[in-house]
Amino acid sequence: MRAYRLKLDLQLFSQEKTEKATPKKRNESRKKGQVAKSSDLPGAFILLFVSASFLMLGSYYKTKIIGLFGGIFQDWLLLELTTENVTELFMNLLWQSLLFLLPIFAIAMLVGIIGNVAQFGFLLTGDPLKLKLSKLNPIEGFKRIFSMRSLVEFLKSILKVTIIGILVYMAISREWNNLLALSSLSIQSVFSFTAGITIKLGIQIGSVLVILALLDYMYQKYEHEKSIKMSKQDIKDEYKKSEGDPLVKGRIRERQRKMAIQRMMQEVPKADVVITNPTHFAIALKYDASKMEAPTIIAKGMDHVALKIKEIAKENGVITMENKPLARALYERAEIGDVIPNDLFQAVAEVLAHVYKLKGRTK
């Protein structure tokens, strides 16, 4: 009973998500669009930089606004009401509006792209847009609505609204007396005052939202790392899928080794001589002066493989010679298909000369 409980505890422990995600797991999550990101960060930077652009490009915006409304009240209202004039009026208004909004659009697009790329790099995937039936499950939807992530998002929204409200209240409080005196000022003064307080509020709110967004990004990164954690069993399963089951790979390697030995044994009858240790090593050599520059090893083996080589050699009338130093040197320094090392030429030549003499052949 205790052994069963211990085994059950070990199984449960192996299923706990305690290990960091592997590179393969991270790559799969990234392809699915599951990355650490804060949706508030690009928006906060856009608000900050667009508000700052009104300070840097204030004269440009002022010129465009005066040109837009000045043309309407000074020129266009005095023209005759015809189709051509109305068409020209709307085309002019459209063009002036585009020139006014162009810097804002450019800054928003550039900052939005940089804000996302800086968080998770360049990523183009359509997986989040795919229709998934699991998203239509009301139970899963209920869990998402009342999850810890939803609670955090709700508290974050409340915090942002509260901070923005405080900043607006403080700005209006400071300028309250000036606000009451706006009715006695010129239109240009009213416009300048309104623009000034709006830009100041935009920069302040944008700065605060950037800080909150950076904190949110850190939290999102922590949640992402937590969500992609793996159990020890997950890592083992992934290794099996990517590298193959070790047991299966072992069987494949064993079969490949047996096939290689079988092919090697088929070459032993073609050998001129088999040099032995005599029991531990066996090396089969072949030399054909018309095709080879030097004697070549066509088979070699150790222990039971060496015994098998000698058996096949004996069955096929291949001469076997005992030379312990030469057998060990050939086994350790050359592989099947290699010619013999240069410094062993003399020793091998003596062996082959003796073999040819026994066979009645000339050198």
Side-chain angles (χ1 to χ4, degrees), residues 117 215 241 323:
V117 172
L215 295 175
K241 290 180 180 179
N323 189 325

Side-chain angles (χ1 to χ4, degrees), residues 23-310:
K24 185 174 184 295
K25 172 72 171 180
R26 293 179 184 277
N27 190 42
E28 290 177 351
S29 299
R30 182 178 176 81
K31 288 180 179 178
K32 295 178 181 178
Q34 298 173 357
V35 291
K37 64 177 180 179
S38 172
S39 57
D40 297 336
L41 194 59
F45 274 113
I46 288 173
L47 176 61
L48 178 62
F49 280 95
V50 168
S51 300
S53 73
F54 282 106
L55 288 178
M56 295 181 289
L57 304 174
S59 59
Y60 172 83
Y61 290 124
K62 181 179 179 181
T63 302
K64 294 303 176 185
I65 291 176
I66 292 176
L68 179 63
F69 291 100
I72 294 175
F73 293 111
Q74 293 180 8
D75 301 327
W76 293 103
L77 291 180
L78 302 177
L79 292 177
E80 184 180 355
L81 187 62
T82 62
T83 304
E84 292 79 8
N85 288 340
V86 172
T87 303
E88 187 179 354
L89 169 62
F90 278 103
M91 292 301 295
N92 185 269
L93 290 176
L94 179 61
W95 177 247
Q96 293 294 334
S97 300
L98 287 176
L99 290 177
F100 175 77
L101 296 173
L102 183 61
I104 299 176
F105 288 157
I107 292 172
M109 183 178 297
L110 183 62
V111 173
I113 293 173
I114 295 175
N116 283 292
V117 172
Q119 293 186 79
F120 50 82
F122 183 77
L123 177 62
L124 185 62
T125 177
D127 191 86
L129 302 177
K130 292 180 180 178
L131 178 62
K132 298 179 180 179
L133 297 179
S134 58
K135 293 182 178 180
L136 302 177
N137 188 342
I139 298 178
E140 294 297 326
F142 184 81
K143 290 180 180 179
R144 286 194 296 269
I145 292 173
F146 294 95
S147 63
M148 180 58 68
R149 179 181 292 271
S150 299
L151 178 62
V152 171
E153 292 295 325
F154 175 73
L155 294 177
K156 186 175 65 176
S157 300
I158 294 297
L159 178 62
K160 287 191 294 185
V161 170
T162 302
I163 292 176
I164 292 173
I166 292 173
L167 291 175
V168 172
Y169 174 77
M170 292 174 61
I172 293 177
S173 299
R174 286 193 300 267
E175 303 292 340
W176 183 251
N177 293 329
N178 294 327
L179 285 171
L180 295 178
L182 286 179
S183 59
S184 61
L185 300 177
S186 63
I187 294 178
Q188 185 174 358
S189 299
V190 172
F191 178 78
S192 299
F193 173 80
T194 306
I197 194 172
T198 302
I199 293 172
K200 188 183 298 184
L201 267 175
I203 293 175
Q204 290 178 352
I205 294 173
S207 301
V208 173
L209 291 182
V210 166
I211 296 173
L212 293 177
L214 290 173
L215 295 175
D216 179 59
Y217 173 69
M218 295 172 63
Y219 169 76
Q220 297 295 341
K221 193 171 184 179
Y222 165 77
E223 282 292 319
H224 175 68
E225 290 293 327
K226 183 180 177 181
S227 66
I228 63 173
K229 275 188 174 182
M230 305 172 68
S231 65
K232 296 182 183 296
Q233 187 61 41
D234 292 336
I235 295 176
K236 291 179 181 178
D237 294 340
E238 181 186 286
Y239 177 79
K240 287 181 180 180
K241 290 180 180 179
S242 59
E243 301 294 333
D245 193 330
L247 295 176
V248 175
K249 290 182 67 176
R251 294 193 188 108
I252 293 174
R253 284 196 296 267
E254 180 64 22
R255 180 168 295 182
Q256 290 174 341
R257 189 180 69 85
K258 289 181 179 179
M259 293 175 65
I261 292 175
Q262 186 177 2
R263 287 194 298 268
M264 181 182 70
M265 294 301 178
Q266 293 174 356
E267 297 294 321
V268 173
K270 303 175 185 179
D272 291 320
V273 64
V274 174
I275 302 174
T276 65
N277 193 25
T279 56
H280 294 296
F281 301 102
I283 295 91
L285 299 178
K286 180 177 177 59
Y287 179 54
D288 186 345
S290 62
K291 299 179 181 179
M292 303 176 182
E293 296 180 357
T296 303
I297 298 175
I298 61 174
K300 75 172 189 175
M302 182 178 177
D303 296 332
H304 69 280
V305 178
L307 293 175
K308 186 67 176 177
I309 291 174
K310 288 190 290 184

